[in-house]
Amino acid sequence: MALLKMTWKKNILMQNYASLLLVILLLPYGLMDVILTVNNNSENYVLPTKPGSSESLKCAVQNHSQDEELLWYRETGKVDLKAENKINSSDICIYPVSEDDNGVTFTCKLQRNQSISISVTLNVTYEPILSGKDLQTVKEGNGIKLDCNVKSNPPAQMMWYRYNSVLNLEKNHHQIYQTSELFQLSISKTLKSDNGTYSCHAKTSNELRIMNFHLIIEDKETTIPIEPIIAASVVVFLTIMFGLIARRKKIMKLCRKTQTPQSGIAM
């Protein structure tokens, strides 16, 4: 009887273990079939757009067996969503699209398993935008940098012009430095001949943008050397002093001669 009871308990325990194992094994299958789509795309993709336009992104849960909460992220920042805009599908709107949105990624994630996600990256195309300090002055002999700030997608072809001709870059006098957002012209030891207008050209397949930079070369500051002046002053002072001393000695000799007693005269 005791043996039968032990066998019965053992069977109950084995059934419990089997049920638990079955739940653990089947749990992932509830997620394995779940996929997310954005605007009917099931893979990450790039969305072409332009400044000023409006873009709507609709994230939806496919093949779900229960209600699923969704999350939206702009890069790493979480997007605030209303309660009714979270379950099974979620919409966000980007308006107005700006140049700064270029390359920004929006990601939709499943709340209970955030490894399930889909991303959309904005490709904002726009013509070159140029900016910079258009009037600069520098003393002759000093160096100067003309910074032409540029934003463009696709990247523009950049060139410096002077008087409507491509600038002739002189070795050890001109230098070009370029990044994705800066096109810089450096002029070392400026000359009077460097005075004038320089043009920053940004060219794409559809557009040419130009910004002029006016450079004024001022005269060198005339510096008066202090040491030679001091030395000359000392020489003049000493010369005057020696002259005064010599003159004083001469005057004293004359005085002594004048005061010498005259010889007596016999009556």
Side-chain angles (χ1 to χ4, degrees), residues 6-29:
M6 288 180 62
T7 303
W8 179 77
K9 287 184 177 179
K10 187 175 180 180
N11 289 337
I12 294 295
L13 187 61
M14 290 296 292
Q15 289 177 4
N16 290 338
Y17 278 132
S19 299
L20 180 61
L21 181 61
L22 184 63
V23 170
I24 294 172
L25 290 175
L26 292 179
L27 182 62
Y29 289 94

PDB file of all heavy atoms in Angstrom, residues 6-29:
ATOM      1  N   MET A   6       3.531   5.881  -2.822  1.00  0.00           N
ATOM      2  CA  MET A   6       4.752   6.565  -3.242  1.00  0.00           C
ATOM      3  C   MET A   6       4.820   6.657  -4.765  1.00  0.00           C
ATOM      4  O   MET A   6       5.228   7.685  -5.339  1.00  0.00           O
ATOM      5  CB  MET A   6       5.991   5.832  -2.712  1.00  0.00           C
ATOM      6  CG  MET A   6       6.200   5.996  -1.196  1.00  0.00           C
ATOM      7  SD  MET A   6       7.662   5.131  -0.626  1.00  0.00           S
ATOM      8  CE  MET A   6       8.930   5.960  -1.535  1.00  0.00           C
ATOM      9  N   THR A   7       4.403   5.559  -5.418  1.00  0.00           N
ATOM     10  CA  THR A   7       4.409   5.559  -6.886  1.00  0.00           C
ATOM     11  C   THR A   7       3.443   6.605  -7.425  1.00  0.00           C
ATOM     12  O   THR A   7       3.724   7.318  -8.402  1.00  0.00           O
ATOM     13  CB  THR A   7       4.032   4.165  -7.403  1.00  0.00           C
ATOM     14  OG1 THR A   7       4.950   3.197  -6.871  1.00  0.00           O
ATOM     15  CG2 THR A   7       4.077   4.124  -8.930  1.00  0.00           C
ATOM     16  N   TRP A   8       2.288   6.739  -6.797  1.00  0.00           N
ATOM     17  CA  TRP A   8       1.277   7.709  -7.225  1.00  0.00           C
ATOM     18  C   TRP A   8       1.804   9.151  -7.075  1.00  0.00           C
ATOM     19  O   TRP A   8       1.668   9.986  -7.956  1.00  0.00           O
ATOM     20  CB  TRP A   8       0.008   7.495  -6.381  1.00  0.00           C
ATOM     21  CG  TRP A   8      -1.087   8.465  -6.732  1.00  0.00           C
ATOM     22  CD1 TRP A   8      -1.910   8.448  -7.798  1.00  0.00           C
ATOM     23  CD2 TRP A   8      -1.429   9.618  -5.970  1.00  0.00           C
ATOM     24  NE1 TRP A   8      -2.762   9.500  -7.789  1.00  0.00           N
ATOM     25  CE2 TRP A   8      -2.491  10.253  -6.645  1.00  0.00           C
ATOM     26  CE3 TRP A   8      -0.977  10.168  -4.771  1.00  0.00           C
ATOM     27  CZ2 TRP A   8      -3.088  11.406  -6.185  1.00  0.00           C
ATOM     28  CZ3 TRP A   8      -1.589  11.311  -4.327  1.00  0.00           C
ATOM     29  CH2 TRP A   8      -2.630  11.938  -5.017  1.00  0.00           C
ATOM     30  N   LYS A   9       2.456   9.422  -5.942  1.00  0.00           N
ATOM     31  CA  LYS A   9       3.025  10.759  -5.717  1.00  0.00           C
ATOM     32  C   LYS A   9       4.114  11.072  -6.734  1.00  0.00           C
ATOM     33  O   LYS A   9       4.234  12.187  -7.241  1.00  0.00           O
ATOM     34  CB  LYS A   9       3.592  10.860  -4.301  1.00  0.00           C
ATOM     35  CG  LYS A   9       2.525  10.951  -3.218  1.00  0.00           C
ATOM     36  CD  LYS A   9       3.174  11.140  -1.869  1.00  0.00           C
ATOM     37  CE  LYS A   9       2.107  11.319  -0.771  1.00  0.00           C
ATOM     38  NZ  LYS A   9       2.729  11.485   0.567  1.00  0.00           N
ATOM     39  N   LYS A  10       4.900  10.034  -7.027  1.00  0.00           N
ATOM     40  CA  LYS A  10       5.976  10.225  -7.990  1.00  0.00           C
ATOM     41  C   LYS A  10       5.422  10.560  -9.372  1.00  0.00           C
ATOM     42  O   LYS A  10       5.944  11.423 -10.083  1.00  0.00           O
ATOM     43  CB  LYS A  10       6.833   8.964  -8.045  1.00  0.00           C
ATOM     44  CG  LYS A  10       8.094   9.108  -8.903  1.00  0.00           C
ATOM     45  CD  LYS A  10       8.947   7.863  -8.815  1.00  0.00           C
ATOM     46  CE  LYS A  10      10.208   8.018  -9.666  1.00  0.00           C
ATOM     47  NZ  LYS A  10      11.060   6.806  -9.605  1.00  0.00           N
ATOM     48  N   ASN A  11       4.320   9.869  -9.743  1.00  0.00           N
ATOM     49  CA  ASN A  11       3.704  10.135 -11.040  1.00  0.00           C
ATOM     50  C   ASN A  11       3.136  11.559 -11.110  1.00  0.00           C
ATOM     51  O   ASN A  11       3.249  12.243 -12.134  1.00  0.00           O
ATOM     52  CB  ASN A  11       2.588   9.122 -11.314  1.00  0.00           C
ATOM     53  CG  ASN A  11       3.161   7.732 -11.601  1.00  0.00           C
ATOM     54  OD1 ASN A  11       4.309   7.600 -12.011  1.00  0.00           O
ATOM     55  ND2 ASN A  11       2.353   6.688 -11.377  1.00  0.00           N
ATOM     56  N   ILE A  12       2.508  12.008 -10.010  1.00  0.00           N
ATOM     57  CA  ILE A  12       1.965  13.368  -9.959  1.00  0.00           C
ATOM     58  C   ILE A  12       3.083  14.385 -10.108  1.00  0.00           C
ATOM     59  O   ILE A  12       2.978  15.387 -10.856  1.00  0.00           O
ATOM     60  CB  ILE A  12       1.197  13.603  -8.640  1.00  0.00           C
ATOM     61  CG1 ILE A  12      -0.047  12.721  -8.596  1.00  0.00           C
ATOM     62  CG2 ILE A  12       0.818  15.072  -8.486  1.00  0.00           C
ATOM     63  CD1 ILE A  12      -1.076  13.050  -9.654  1.00  0.00           C
ATOM     64  N   LEU A  13       4.212  14.144  -9.423  1.00  0.00           N
ATOM     65  CA  LEU A  13       5.349  15.060  -9.493  1.00  0.00           C
ATOM     66  C   LEU A  13       5.929  15.107 -10.899  1.00  0.00           C
ATOM     67  O   LEU A  13       6.264  16.169 -11.415  1.00  0.00           O
ATOM     68  CB  LEU A  13       6.422  14.621  -8.481  1.00  0.00           C
ATOM     69  CG  LEU A  13       7.612  15.561  -8.291  1.00  0.00           C
ATOM     70  CD1 LEU A  13       7.120  16.911  -7.777  1.00  0.00           C
ATOM     71  CD2 LEU A  13       8.623  14.967  -7.312  1.00  0.00           C
ATOM     72  N   MET A  14       6.032  13.949 -11.546  1.00  0.00           N
ATOM     73  CA  MET A  14       6.555  13.898 -12.897  1.00  0.00           C
ATOM     74  C   MET A  14       5.644  14.645 -13.879  1.00  0.00           C
ATOM     75  O   MET A  14       6.111  15.331 -14.789  1.00  0.00           O
ATOM     76  CB  MET A  14       6.707  12.439 -13.341  1.00  0.00           C
ATOM     77  CG  MET A  14       7.828  11.694 -12.611  1.00  0.00           C
ATOM     78  SD  MET A  14       9.467  12.399 -12.955  1.00  0.00           S
ATOM     79  CE  MET A  14       9.635  11.979 -14.673  1.00  0.00           C
ATOM     80  N   GLN A  15       4.320  14.527 -13.656  1.00  0.00           N
ATOM     81  CA  GLN A  15       3.378  15.231 -14.516  1.00  0.00           C
ATOM     82  C   GLN A  15       3.520  16.752 -14.366  1.00  0.00           C
ATOM     83  O   GLN A  15       3.440  17.496 -15.351  1.00  0.00           O
ATOM     84  CB  GLN A  15       1.947  14.799 -14.187  1.00  0.00           C
ATOM     85  CG  GLN A  15       1.616  13.384 -14.632  1.00  0.00           C
ATOM     86  CD  GLN A  15       0.210  12.969 -14.222  1.00  0.00           C
ATOM     87  OE1 GLN A  15      -0.553  13.759 -13.667  1.00  0.00           O
ATOM     88  NE2 GLN A  15      -0.122  11.705 -14.475  1.00  0.00           N
ATOM     89  N   ASN A  16       3.736  17.188 -13.122  1.00  0.00           N
ATOM     90  CA  ASN A  16       3.930  18.624 -12.879  1.00  0.00           C
ATOM     91  C   ASN A  16       5.192  19.141 -13.576  1.00  0.00           C
ATOM     92  O   ASN A  16       5.186  20.211 -14.190  1.00  0.00           O
ATOM     93  CB  ASN A  16       4.000  18.909 -11.377  1.00  0.00           C
ATOM     94  CG  ASN A  16       2.657  18.720 -10.710  1.00  0.00           C
ATOM     95  OD1 ASN A  16       1.614  18.773 -11.363  1.00  0.00           O
ATOM     96  ND2 ASN A  16       2.667  18.487  -9.392  1.00  0.00           N
ATOM     97  N   TYR A  17       6.276  18.356 -13.455  1.00  0.00           N
ATOM     98  CA  TYR A  17       7.523  18.733 -14.123  1.00  0.00           C
ATOM     99  C   TYR A  17       7.339  18.779 -15.648  1.00  0.00           C
ATOM    100  O   TYR A  17       7.835  19.678 -16.336  1.00  0.00           O
ATOM    101  CB  TYR A  17       8.641  17.745 -13.774  1.00  0.00           C
ATOM    102  CG  TYR A  17       9.308  18.024 -12.452  1.00  0.00           C
ATOM    103  CD1 TYR A  17       9.513  16.989 -11.530  1.00  0.00           C
ATOM    104  CD2 TYR A  17       9.737  19.302 -12.114  1.00  0.00           C
ATOM    105  CE1 TYR A  17      10.116  17.234 -10.300  1.00  0.00           C
ATOM    106  CE2 TYR A  17      10.343  19.554 -10.890  1.00  0.00           C
ATOM    107  CZ  TYR A  17      10.524  18.521  -9.997  1.00  0.00           C
ATOM    108  OH  TYR A  17      11.109  18.760  -8.785  1.00  0.00           O
ATOM    109  N   ALA A  18       6.612  17.803 -16.169  1.00  0.00           N
ATOM    110  CA  ALA A  18       6.386  17.752 -17.615  1.00  0.00           C
ATOM    111  C   ALA A  18       5.564  18.951 -18.084  1.00  0.00           C
ATOM    112  O   ALA A  18       5.840  19.542 -19.135  1.00  0.00           O
ATOM    113  CB  ALA A  18       5.680  16.443 -17.976  1.00  0.00           C
ATOM    114  N   SER A  19       4.561  19.325 -17.291  1.00  0.00           N
ATOM    115  CA  SER A  19       3.725  20.477 -17.655  1.00  0.00           C
ATOM    116  C   SER A  19       4.538  21.762 -17.642  1.00  0.00           C
ATOM    117  O   SER A  19       4.424  22.602 -18.544  1.00  0.00           O
ATOM    118  CB  SER A  19       2.542  20.589 -16.682  1.00  0.00           C
ATOM    119  OG  SER A  19       1.735  19.431 -16.744  1.00  0.00           O
ATOM    120  N   LEU A  20       5.381  21.895 -16.600  1.00  0.00           N
ATOM    121  CA  LEU A  20       6.223  23.087 -16.503  1.00  0.00           C
ATOM    122  C   LEU A  20       7.213  23.159 -17.659  1.00  0.00           C
ATOM    123  O   LEU A  20       7.426  24.231 -18.256  1.00  0.00           O
ATOM    124  CB  LEU A  20       6.968  23.092 -15.158  1.00  0.00           C
ATOM    125  CG  LEU A  20       7.895  24.281 -14.892  1.00  0.00           C
ATOM    126  CD1 LEU A  20       7.078  25.578 -14.890  1.00  0.00           C
ATOM    127  CD2 LEU A  20       8.609  24.125 -13.553  1.00  0.00           C
ATOM    128  N   LEU A  21       7.800  22.001 -18.011  1.00  0.00           N
ATOM    129  CA  LEU A  21       8.747  21.965 -19.122  1.00  0.00           C
ATOM    130  C   LEU A  21       8.061  22.318 -20.434  1.00  0.00           C
ATOM    131  O   LEU A  21       8.624  23.028 -21.283  1.00  0.00           O
ATOM    132  CB  LEU A  21       9.384  20.574 -19.202  1.00  0.00           C
ATOM    133  CG  LEU A  21      10.436  20.369 -20.305  1.00  0.00           C
ATOM    134  CD1 LEU A  21      11.599  21.322 -20.098  1.00  0.00           C
ATOM    135  CD2 LEU A  21      10.917  18.911 -20.313  1.00  0.00           C
ATOM    136  N   LEU A  22       6.830  21.849 -20.598  1.00  0.00           N
ATOM    137  CA  LEU A  22       6.079  22.135 -21.813  1.00  0.00           C
ATOM    138  C   LEU A  22       5.789  23.630 -21.943  1.00  0.00           C
ATOM    139  O   LEU A  22       5.913  24.211 -23.029  1.00  0.00           O
ATOM    140  CB  LEU A  22       4.767  21.340 -21.813  1.00  0.00           C
ATOM    141  CG  LEU A  22       3.904  21.461 -23.079  1.00  0.00           C
ATOM    142  CD1 LEU A  22       4.671  20.906 -24.284  1.00  0.00           C
ATOM    143  CD2 LEU A  22       2.578  20.726 -22.898  1.00  0.00           C
ATOM    144  N   VAL A  23       5.451  24.254 -20.815  1.00  0.00           N
ATOM    145  CA  VAL A  23       5.193  25.696 -20.822  1.00  0.00           C
ATOM    146  C   VAL A  23       6.451  26.461 -21.200  1.00  0.00           C
ATOM    147  O   VAL A  23       6.420  27.404 -22.002  1.00  0.00           O
ATOM    148  CB  VAL A  23       4.671  26.167 -19.450  1.00  0.00           C
ATOM    149  CG1 VAL A  23       4.638  27.696 -19.385  1.00  0.00           C
ATOM    150  CG2 VAL A  23       3.283  25.600 -19.194  1.00  0.00           C
ATOM    151  N   ILE A  24       7.586  26.046 -20.619  1.00  0.00           N
ATOM    152  CA  ILE A  24       8.861  26.719 -20.909  1.00  0.00           C
ATOM    153  C   ILE A  24       9.240  26.557 -22.374  1.00  0.00           C
ATOM    154  O   ILE A  24       9.701  27.498 -23.028  1.00  0.00           O
ATOM    155  CB  ILE A  24       9.982  26.174 -20.001  1.00  0.00           C
ATOM    156  CG1 ILE A  24       9.698  26.554 -18.536  1.00  0.00           C
ATOM    157  CG2 ILE A  24      11.348  26.698 -20.445  1.00  0.00           C
ATOM    158  CD1 ILE A  24      10.637  25.913 -17.547  1.00  0.00           C
ATOM    159  N   LEU A  25       9.012  25.365 -22.914  1.00  0.00           N
ATOM    160  CA  LEU A  25       9.374  25.112 -24.309  1.00  0.00           C
ATOM    161  C   LEU A  25       8.466  25.839 -25.284  1.00  0.00           C
ATOM    162  O   LEU A  25       8.912  26.291 -26.351  1.00  0.00           O
ATOM    163  CB  LEU A  25       9.327  23.603 -24.587  1.00  0.00           C
ATOM    164  CG  LEU A  25      10.419  22.761 -23.917  1.00  0.00           C
ATOM    165  CD1 LEU A  25      10.179  21.290 -24.177  1.00  0.00           C
ATOM    166  CD2 LEU A  25      11.797  23.158 -24.432  1.00  0.00           C
ATOM    167  N   LEU A  26       7.203  25.981 -24.932  1.00  0.00           N
ATOM    168  CA  LEU A  26       6.247  26.600 -25.836  1.00  0.00           C
ATOM    169  C   LEU A  26       6.196  28.112 -25.714  1.00  0.00           C
ATOM    170  O   LEU A  26       5.681  28.790 -26.597  1.00  0.00           O
ATOM    171  CB  LEU A  26       4.840  26.023 -25.598  1.00  0.00           C
ATOM    172  CG  LEU A  26       4.649  24.559 -25.979  1.00  0.00           C
ATOM    173  CD1 LEU A  26       3.224  24.120 -25.656  1.00  0.00           C
ATOM    174  CD2 LEU A  26       4.933  24.322 -27.460  1.00  0.00           C
ATOM    175  N   LEU A  27       6.747  28.661 -24.607  1.00  0.00           N
ATOM    176  CA  LEU A  27       6.685  30.107 -24.388  1.00  0.00           C
ATOM    177  C   LEU A  27       7.286  30.910 -25.527  1.00  0.00           C
ATOM    178  O   LEU A  27       6.682  31.878 -26.001  1.00  0.00           O
ATOM    179  CB  LEU A  27       7.366  30.461 -23.052  1.00  0.00           C
ATOM    180  CG  LEU A  27       7.335  31.929 -22.660  1.00  0.00           C
ATOM    181  CD1 LEU A  27       5.890  32.399 -22.484  1.00  0.00           C
ATOM    182  CD2 LEU A  27       8.125  32.153 -21.363  1.00  0.00           C
ATOM    183  N   PRO A  28       8.488  30.576 -26.033  1.00  0.00           N
ATOM    184  CA  PRO A  28       9.060  31.383 -27.113  1.00  0.00           C
ATOM    185  C   PRO A  28       8.237  31.369 -28.391  1.00  0.00           C
ATOM    186  O   PRO A  28       8.295  32.301 -29.172  1.00  0.00           O
ATOM    187  CB  PRO A  28      10.438  30.744 -27.350  1.00  0.00           C
ATOM    188  CG  PRO A  28      10.746  30.006 -26.095  1.00  0.00           C
ATOM    189  CD  PRO A  28       9.421  29.532 -25.596  1.00  0.00           C
ATOM    190  N   TYR A  29       7.456  30.272 -28.589  1.00  0.00           N
ATOM    191  CA  TYR A  29       6.712  30.182 -29.837  1.00  0.00           C
ATOM    192  C   TYR A  29       5.644  31.258 -29.945  1.00  0.00           C
ATOM    193  O   TYR A  29       5.233  31.648 -31.024  1.00  0.00           O
ATOM    194  CB  TYR A  29       6.092  28.795 -29.991  1.00  0.00           C
ATOM    195  CG  TYR A  29       7.113  27.730 -30.266  1.00  0.00           C
ATOM    196  CD1 TYR A  29       7.653  26.980 -29.233  1.00  0.00           C
ATOM    197  CD2 TYR A  29       7.566  27.498 -31.570  1.00  0.00           C
ATOM    198  CE1 TYR A  29       8.605  26.012 -29.481  1.00  0.00           C
ATOM    199  CE2 TYR A  29       8.525  26.528 -31.816  1.00  0.00           C
ATOM    200  CZ  TYR A  29       9.037  25.793 -30.776  1.00  0.00           C
ATOM    201  OH  TYR A  29       9.996  24.855 -31.015  1.00  0.00           O
TER     202      TYR A  29
END
